[in-house]
Amino acid sequence: MTNSSSIPSTSESSKRSANSLSDLLGRPAAGIVLLLVFYVLLLIAFSVFSPYFLTLSNLSNIGTNMAFIGLMAAAGTPLIIGGGLDLSVAAVAGLAGVIVALMHAKGINIWAGCVTALIIGCAVGVLNGFIVTRLKLNPLIATLGTMSIFSGLSMVLTGGLSKPLFVPAFNWLGSGRLFGIPFPIILMLLVFVALWLILSKTPFGRFVYASGGNSEASSLLGVPVERTQMVLYVVSGLSGAAAGIILAAMLGAAAPNAAGQHLLTIIAAIILGGTSLFGGRGSVWGTLIAVLILGTLNNGLTLMNVSSFWQDVTRGVVLLMAVGLDQLRVRLQS
């Protein structure tokens, strides 16, 4: 009798454990917590394998090198949440640096060049928003087209060559420090905080989630879906221009395709952070942690002398595992 009665008890306890685990993973904040846990484990692993990894100088380098990517990923997160997509943002970054360099070479004040680059970034956002919201083109195709246009334009303006930008006050934007913290990191964190406040504390933030969740139903309920998406495209274009300026300041030169190679990293960070490509779901904090994970992964593998080809394989495996876990969590939520 004792043995037979213990079997149902064990079965019930295991079911309760499984249910509690499902409830835990199904919570909205679970994705961010899992990313944080993974990031901490990554830090521990690399600190064991490399004595040069867990130093203040190296961690500062990781943040600085990923800051311009973080700027674009931060702005891309609400855009994808709102049902959009911008593949041209890295091309805009390259074009922004080129514009600053060419204007400076002609004797125009470098800060006027920066302002011009930011205005052009906003104009590209307006163009992308108009094509997507008014002409009703698929955002993937529309921004793929504009990416090709602006990437090609950067090559035409420079002949495919890098343009030097050695201006101490300007270069400070990429290598200077405030209160001992690299300025690019401070700027990136300020952008993330600002976007978090907008998404979580304002009516516009609610419009963003509603537009991505169900645009047709949201329009019927009075949500300005097209206007919301237009603003998001402008913010994305602006972030691309700002990132291009920071990158040019870091490198001391404007390379036409300097940011283009990082487009996949930008999209990967947004997806890895838990933002759904179908819209309506995501968090800027998840994107920030994902940016740090990808930067740490790249830095740690480099310190371990791992081939760049295997680094690509590792990043792909990590991304697939993260997306798979996130999909499992979404099913548990539903």
Side-chain angles (χ1 to χ4, degrees), residues 72-134:
M72 292 183 280
T77 300
L79 176 60
I80 293 179
I81 292 174
L85 179 66
D86 186 4
L87 298 181
S88 69
V89 63
V92 173
L95 181 61
V98 166
I99 289 168
V100 174
L102 292 178
M103 291 183 68
H104 174 66
K106 291 185 177 297
I108 300 173
N109 183 281
I110 196 163
W111 303 116
C114 291
V115 172
T116 303
L118 293 173
I119 292 173
I120 290 175
C122 291
V124 172
V126 171
L127 175 63
N128 284 333
F130 177 81
I131 294 173
V132 173
T133 62
R134 298 299 173 89

Side-chain angles (χ1 to χ4, degrees), residues 223-241:
V223 174
V225 174
E226 289 188 0
R227 189 171 64 194
T228 299
Q229 291 183 343
M230 177 67 78
V231 171
L232 293 175
Y233 275 108
V234 171
V235 171
S236 181
L238 179 63
S239 76

Side-chain angles (χ1 to χ4, degrees), residues 62-76:
I62 293 173
T64 303
N65 292 334
M66 294 300 291
F68 74 97
I69 293 175
L71 285 174
M72 292 183 280

